[in-house]
Structure formats: structure tokens, C-alpha cells
Amino acid sequence: MYKKIKFSASAMCFDWLNVKSQLKEIEDLDLDYLHIDIIDGNFIPDFTMGSSIINSIRSGTNMKFYYHLMVDEPRRIFDSLNIKKKDILAIHQEASKNLHSDLVEIRNIGAEVGIVLSPGTPLDSLEYVIEDADNIILMTVNPGYKGQTLVPQTLNKIEKLDIMLKSMNLRNKISISVDGNVNPSTIPEMILKGADNLILGSSGLFDKKNSIKKNFEKIIKAIDTVK
């Protein structure tokens, strides 16, 4: 955490030929979470890591995990993951037929409860479940592929969610994560709008032009510009 901002490193963006060394670099930065994107090929196209790979990574680090399930009916795979207390387990509002029941099950597992909204999903879809959440992810790109362009309307969505949470006296309980095109050029406005958990991927922490350490230094400098 830096200036009340938390950081999540997206494992989806690992150089898979050098996972061990990159994981060590991330651990040395003392980031808050390792962000685990799970894609099933149904909710959205493509696939990422299966549970065997994820659990193997888990055995090699003490970092807390931030699971982001881009999976139809996500509850069906909860048991395949080695979820620990203080992990975040986040599921898409659009992917769950019985969202409230799934959120209760996440709480029963012992993880912190996350709800994800894609860019086109309105905030009022949270109306009857938001009190059950610890964390809301606002996708700032459409889910599925790394390296996409920011959807500009999502910046105002961050601000509206921040206002909503404050009006409900929930702002100290629920954090706002942003996922997609989170980098030094976009971070200042995201923070000004209310984001306090940055999910860092290919355009930020894993920008191939620099080392992970150098990229994180640039991210810190971007945060320092926010007044």
C-alpha cells in the first residue's frame, strides 16, 4: 500500500518462460495482491490459467491472491481453488444467476467478497447486493484480453460509484478496484475519481520497455502527482 492505494499484480501478464524470477521481483516490491484472472472460454472468449497452474503458483509465494473469475456460474469452480482467508474472490455480476447466494458462499469460504462490473453494466445492478461486498472491480476495458484501450466512460463510473458508496456510508468498508489500461498516464485520474486498488497489467507493471521495478517506480511517481 502507498498513500492508501493498494496494488495488485496481474499474473495474466507474466512472461511464462520466466515466472519464478518475475514472481520474485513482485514479491520484492511488497505489493498487496497477486491478481489471478480465470477465463473459461464461455463467459468471454480465450482461456487463462487452470486451477493446477494457479495452485502451483500459490505454493511458491506467500502473497495474498485476488481471484477474478470471468466464468459462467463461478460458484462451480470455487472448490478447485486453494482459497485462503484475506484473499479476495471476485465474480462478475453478469455471470451469476444467483449473485447474492454466490456472494454468501464466498463469505462462508473465508475470502473477502468482490463483485465485478464490465464497462456496459450499470451501477444500479449492485443495488441489492452492495452491502455484502468488500470490493468492487470496475472493468475499464471489456474483459478478456490484455492490452486493450481504456473505455473513457468508465472514468465517470468510478466517480459515481465513489459517490454512491459515500452516500450509503460504505466507503470505508468497500474498496474500488480498476482493471484495464491502468498505467502512469491513466492512474492519476482514476485515483482522483475514487479508485483505491490498482490492478496492474501489460501497460503498467509489465510494460516490456522497462523492468518491473522501474515500471513500479513510474507508477509511484504518477500517484505522487495526485493532490
Side-chain angles (χ1 to χ4, degrees), residues 16-34:
W16 287 99
L17 297 178
N18 296 287
V19 171
K20 187 174 182 179
S21 62
Q22 287 199 331
L23 184 57
K24 178 64 166 58
E25 288 182 78
I26 291 167
E27 289 174 330
D28 288 345
L29 295 176
D30 198 26
L31 303 188
D32 299 277
Y33 298 98
L34 189 62

Side-chain angles (χ1 to χ4, degrees), residues 3 11 16 59 67 69 76 83 96 104 165 168 181-182 192 197 210-211 213 223 226:
K3 293 186 174 180
W16 287 99
S59 68
Y67 293 95
L69 274 56
R76 63 188 169 84
I83 299 166
S96 177
V104 170
L165 292 172
M168 298 176 73
N181 210 244
V182 181
L192 284 170
N197 192 319
N210 303 293
S211 67
K213 182 179 179 181
I223 293 172
V226 179

Side-chain angles (χ1 to χ4, degrees), residues 184-203:
S185 65
T186 60
I187 283 170
E189 188 168 6
M190 288 174 169
I191 292 174
L192 284 170
K193 297 289 189 182
D196 54 16
N197 192 319
L198 306 177
I199 299 169
L200 304 170
S202 60
S203 69

Side-chain angles (χ1 to χ4, degrees), residues 18-177:
N18 296 287
V19 171
K20 187 174 182 179
S21 62
Q22 287 199 331
L23 184 57
K24 178 64 166 58
E25 288 182 78
I26 291 167
E27 289 174 330
D28 288 345
L29 295 176
D30 198 26
L31 303 188
D32 299 277
Y33 298 98
L34 189 62
H35 192 81
I36 307 293
D37 289 301
I38 303 175
I39 299 174
D40 66 353
N42 291 313
F43 176 61
I44 52 174
D46 206 5
F47 299 89
T48 51
M49 301 162 282
S51 58
S52 59
I53 294 174
I54 295 166
N55 292 336
S56 177
I57 295 172
R58 163 126 268 175
S59 68
T61 182
N62 290 320
M63 290 185 72
K64 290 182 288 188
F65 275 25
Y66 189 152
Y67 293 95
H68 175 188
L69 274 56
M70 289 173 268
V71 173
D72 278 334
E73 293 306 314
R75 187 172 182 164
R76 63 188 169 84
I77 72 163
F78 289 174
D79 289 344
S80 67
L81 303 170
N82 183 12
I83 299 166
K84 298 183 178 181
K85 289 187 177 182
K86 301 301 182 182
D87 287 343
I88 297 174
L89 181 54
I91 60 176
H92 272 261
Q93 183 275 346
E94 310 90 357
S96 177
K97 290 179 182 176
N98 193 338
L99 181 61
H100 182 265
S101 177
D102 289 348
L103 300 179
V104 170
E105 181 61 19
I106 291 172
R107 184 76 66 196
N108 289 339
I109 290 169
E112 294 190 8
V113 177
I115 306 173
V116 193
L117 299 185
S118 296
T121 304
L123 293 176
D124 61 15
S125 64
L126 297 171
E127 184 175 359
Y128 297 109
V129 293
I130 195 165
E131 289 92 346
D132 296 291
D134 301 300
N135 178 265
I136 306 294
I137 301 181
L138 295 182
M139 297 295 298
T140 46
V141 301
N142 285 299
Y145 297 99
K146 60 185 180 181
Q148 295 184 70
T149 302
L150 179 79
V151 177
Q153 300 94 315
T154 57
L155 294 173
N156 288 333
K157 193 176 182 181
I158 298 167
E159 184 174 31
K160 288 179 180 179
L161 177 58
D162 182 58
I163 292 169
M164 177 192 299
L165 292 172
K166 287 174 179 174
S167 71
M168 298 176 73
N169 294 317
L170 293 172
R171 194 61 186 93
N172 291 331
K173 174 186 180 290
I174 300 175
S175 63
I176 300 175
S177 296

